[in-house]
């Protein structure tokens, strides 16, 4: 089981959930939820990456958090019926385990381990989101671009990230020309190779040296609350 959150459950609790899980393949750009949508399905990523986007009335958007195999999308619906607060869209394609919110709530009511895991995950995700608010307001685009690359890299099994300029611009809340300039600068430093729609990570330590403090702060938050979040398989 690639999803770290489900893997952290005791075997007896995994056995309660397993009959209700199905594997789904999620293509890049697929919309899972928009703000106000009822959360009727909860997704546990295996190797896909989900972006939570905050939308403005003007149509502008910016990423507020990233969810990969360390977590789940819509997990608060295990506690009670919920509506989505963000747009949830597939950033990097892959598979996820999916469960209907109703059965998950029933299991949550019977499983102390699941209740504890839901609480810790939601605290970690909240910390991620509020750190992103500060980062987007205070840090340079180049540092935020590096933070975003590292966050994505933590959640996939390859050094290649397939992204369009438009998608990157939405993630960072900038113009596409800014994305081109920043990616070109990192490529000139030998940290990445950037071609249309594809970013190859060549020098992760170099990218870590250029990112802002927010990458480490978010990662430490997950590792404190969910210690197996970024263990290598």
């Amino acid at each position: 089981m690639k999803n770290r959150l489900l893997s952290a459950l005791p075997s007896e609790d995994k056995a309660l959930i397993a009959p209700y899980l199905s594997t789904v393949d999620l293509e890049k750009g697929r919309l899972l939820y928009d703000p106000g949508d009822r959360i009727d399905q909860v997704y546990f990523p295996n190797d896909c990456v989900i972006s939570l986007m905050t939308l403005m009335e003007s149509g502008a958007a910016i990423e507020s958090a990233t969810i990969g195999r360390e977590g789940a999308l819509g997990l608060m619906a295990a506690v009670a019926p919920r509506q989505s607060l963000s747009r949830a869209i597939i950033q990097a394609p892959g598979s996820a385990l999916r469960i209907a919110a109703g059965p998950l709530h029933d299991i949550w009511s019977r499983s102390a381990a699941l209740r504890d895991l839901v609480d810790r995950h939601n605290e970690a995700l909240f910390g991620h989101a509020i750190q992103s608010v500060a980062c987007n307001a205070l840090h340079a685009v180049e540092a935020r671009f590096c933070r975003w690359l590292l966050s994505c890299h933590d959640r996939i099994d390859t050094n290649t990230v397939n992204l369009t300029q438009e998608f990157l611009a939405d993630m960072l809340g900038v113009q596409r020309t800014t994305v081109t300039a920043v990616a070109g600068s990192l490529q000139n430093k030998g940290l990445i190779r950037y071609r249309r729609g594809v970013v190859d990570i060549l020098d992760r330590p170099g990218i870590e040296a250029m990112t802002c403090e927010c990458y480490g702060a978010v990662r430490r938050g997950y590792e404190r609350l969910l210690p197996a979040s970024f263990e290598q398989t």
Side-chain angles (χ1 to χ4, degrees), residues 6-175:
L6 290 176
S7 294
L9 285 171
S11 57
E12 58 269 27
D13 297 274
K14 291 178 189 173
L16 291 174
I17 291 177
Y20 300 98
L21 291 171
S22 60
T23 301
V24 290
D25 293 320
L26 300 170
E27 68 276 12
K28 177 184 171 184
R30 179 169 171 178
L31 178 66
L32 299 179
Y33 289 112
D34 255 340
D37 288 350
R38 180 183 175 89
I39 298 173
D40 53 2
Q41 300 285 338
V42 179
Y43 295 84
F44 296 87
N46 290 321
D47 52 8
C48 66
V49 181
I50 302 168
S51 285
L52 300 184
M53 307 291 294
T54 300
L55 307 182
M56 299 290 106
E57 290 182 359
S58 65
I62 192 167
E63 187 184 70
S64 54
T66 303
I67 299 173
R69 55 193 170 197
E70 82 294 337
L73 172 67
L75 197 55
M76 276 301 293
V79 181
R82 290 286 189 271
Q83 292 181 330
S84 180
L85 300 176
S86 305
R87 170 171 289 175
I89 190 168
I90 298 299
Q91 176 194 115
S95 70
L97 295 169
R98 183 173 65 187
I99 184 172
L104 187 62
H105 171 72
D106 292 340
I107 297 166
W108 174 88
S109 67
R110 291 184 281 151
S111 168
L114 180 59
R115 291 195 296 274
D116 177 62
L117 202 63
V118 169
D119 287 345
R120 288 188 283 122
H121 173 267
N122 289 328
E123 184 177 343
L125 187 61
F126 179 69
H128 186 163
I130 61 175
Q131 192 74 38
S132 293
V133 170
C135 188
N136 290 332
L138 300 174
H139 292 149
V141 176
E142 188 171 68
R144 292 194 289 120
F145 186 92
C146 290
R147 172 180 67 87
W148 186 88
L149 280 180
L150 292 169
S151 295
C152 188
H153 193 226
D154 284 341
R155 293 164 171 85
I156 60 178
D157 296 317
T158 174
N159 291 326
T160 299
V161 185
N162 294 298
L163 295 163
T164 63
Q165 280 185 330
E166 182 178 9
F167 206 74
L168 278 167
D170 285 344
M171 296 302 102
L172 298 168
V174 298
Q175 299 295 318

